[in-house]
Each structure stands twice: as C-alpha cells, then as structure tokens.
Amino acid sequence: MPDHSRRAATLAARLGFASRGLVYLLVGWFALDAARRGSAPKDNQQAMGSLADQPFGHVLLALVAVGLLGYALWRASEAIFDPERRGTEAKALAERIGFGWSALVHLGLAVYAGRLAFDQASAGNPSSDASARSWSGWLLDQPAGQWLLGAVGLLLIAAAGAQAWKAWQNRFADELSGDVPLPRYACMAGQVGYAARALVFLITGWFLLAAAWHARAAEAGGTGQALRTLRDQPYGPWLLSLVAAGLILFGIFSFVEARFRRIHVGN
C-alpha cells in the first residue's frame, strides 16, 4: 500500500475510534440520566439522533459518519486481509469473524449518522431495537433461519466473553503504541469500560438466542433493550448507573485509543 494511502487509512481508523468514543459517551450519559429519572435509556441510534438539533450538530454527525465508516473499513480489512498476521487457527478465525461483525455494525451506524447529517433520517426514527427485530425477522424467514439467528446470538455471547477477558487480563494495553506504560487510571477506565460493554453484549446475545429458540423476532433487542433490562432488575437504577459509568469510561478510553492505538492497514 502506498504511504499516502496508508496514512489516510490510519487517520480514518483513528477518527473511527474517536467517533465510537463519542457514541459511547452519549449512550452512557443518557443511561445515567435514565437511572436517575427512571426513564428509558437511549441506544446508539437514539444517542446519535440527539446531536441533530444541537448547534453544528449536522457537521458533527457528518464527522461521526466518516469516522464510523473508517472504523468499519479498518475492521473489515482486519477480518479479510489479516494485516496483523493472526493466522487461520480456530482462535484467530473467531477473532476475524468478530472483526467482520464489528465492521457490519459500525457500517450500519455510519449510514444512520450520515442520513441524520443530511436530514435523510429523523432523530425519532426506529431504534436499534426495532432494527434488530427487523433483521432478525428477515433472518428467521431464510432457510435454517433459526440456526443462523442462534449463531449470531452465540457470536455476540462469545464477543462478550472476549471483552470480559480483555478487561480481566488488561490485554488492551498491549494494543497501544509508545514506550511509556499506560497510567493506572487509564488502565482502570479501560477495564471497567470493557466489562460494561461485555455485559451489554451478553444480554443482547441472550435476546437473539431467545428469539431464535422461539422463532419470534419480537424477542430480539439491541443496546436499548439491554439497558432497560438492567434498569428493571432489583436495584436496577444502581445497576444501570454502574453500567452507564462503565460505558462512559469506555468512551473515554476510545479517545485514548484514537491517539495511541497501533493501526495496521496493510502490508
């Protein structure tokens, strides 16, 4: 890959980490507010929609769209071209499948952010929960649809396990560049953030498994449904507040990654 293309791809990926960080900051902030007020938490799409009516909100949404698209393309390149030379063993293939799934999710968010930026979508449009039910229903209508939807649910649960393992082992610090060790407070932010994200992934994956088991797309859900489920548990406001704080910390750590993450974009 030519140097100028490599630099452009690296910049796009870094903007993607920053865009992801902003989305998680918003989701966490609204979840914290929902825990305090007893209202419904916002999901990723609704959180981005909140920017549409802010000063320069459409400009910011356009930047978020570009960043999320860059992040999706980088994850897709990791899945397809394997620039980090992970290989084709079972563990490596599982990681690359996860990268591919991440690429699809962030591509969808990029398209939605772009539509909001150009007034092609409304902030009141269906949430990611409705989107999850829509594509789950489509998948269930395909041959072996229950098995396919169940596989997606298991993929999310496996991703939750990977996120939890990264939090426990503090492995994400190895992905950052620089000779200076990551400060302890930054490590703690990453660990709490990855743990909160793991819990949201786990609940979302469980919804998809339930939808597959009962062949009912209505049982599928996204981030918003996962956060509402936490809110409705015993001591739900406290539990939701803890997860919301973790998502905010994950957003902050994403900004750290935007600056210091090692980006591999080609040979």
Side-chain angles (χ1 to χ4, degrees):
M1 179 183 292
D3 287 344
H4 65 277
S5 298
R6 191 187 304 274
R7 286 193 296 269
T10 299
L11 179 61
R14 295 198 185 284
L15 181 58
F17 276 105
S19 299
R20 186 188 72 174
L22 177 60
V23 172
Y24 271 94
L25 280 175
L26 290 171
V27 171
W29 174 258
F30 285 123
L32 201 59
D33 186 63
R36 182 172 64 88
R37 296 173 179 267
S39 56
K42 295 182 184 294
D43 59 26
N44 298 343
Q45 290 183 195
Q46 293 168 329
M48 289 192 297
S50 70
L51 296 174
D53 296 327
Q54 303 303 314
F56 303 103
H58 287 77
V59 175
L60 183 56
L61 281 166
L63 290 173
V64 168
V66 172
L68 291 175
L69 178 60
Y71 186 85
L73 292 175
W74 174 61
R75 282 304 195 193
S77 73
E78 285 200 310
I80 298 170
F81 301 113
D82 192 22
E84 297 186 25
R85 298 291 185 267
R86 296 175 185 272
T88 55
E89 295 180 357
K91 179 182 177 182
L93 286 176
E95 289 179 332
R96 292 171 66 179
I97 290 172
F99 294 151
W101 174 256
S102 178
L104 290 174
V105 170
H106 286 90
L107 178 60
L109 290 175
V111 170
Y112 186 74
R115 293 180 63 206
L116 283 172
F118 292 99
D119 289 323
Q120 298 299 309
S122 166
N125 272 9
S127 66
S128 59
D129 296 326
S131 299
R133 296 182 188 109
S134 176
W135 64 256
S136 295
W138 176 84
L139 202 56
L140 286 172
D141 289 337
Q142 308 309 307
Q146 284 183 265
W147 290 100
L148 291 172
L149 186 57
V152 175
L154 288 175
L155 177 63
L156 269 179
I157 290 174
Q163 299 285 299
W165 182 252
K166 288 179 76 170
W168 178 257
Q169 294 291 319
N170 198 21
R171 287 182 54 198
F172 50 83
D174 297 335
E175 298 172 338
L176 303 180
S177 60
D179 298 326
V180 179
L182 195 65
R184 182 57 188 161
Y185 61 83
C187 288
M188 284 296 296
Q191 287 181 288
V192 175
Y194 273 105
R197 198 176 186 224
L199 182 57
V200 173
F201 279 15
L202 177 64
I203 297 172
T204 306
W206 180 256
F207 289 152
L208 294 179
L209 280 181
W213 181 261
H214 298 118
R216 293 185 68 247
E219 296 188 33
T223 301
Q225 182 64 35
L227 294 175
R228 288 193 296 275
T229 299
L230 291 171
R231 182 200 59 188
D232 295 339
Q233 302 307 306
Y235 304 101
W238 291 101
L239 182 58
L240 180 58
S241 295
L242 288 173
V243 173
L247 295 177
I248 290 172
L249 289 174
F250 185 80
I252 293 172
F253 188 76
S254 292
F255 285 107
V256 175
E257 289 186 289
R259 172 62 181 85
F260 296 105
R261 181 66 152 80
R262 284 197 298 271
I263 306 292
H264 299 272
V265 294
N267 297 325

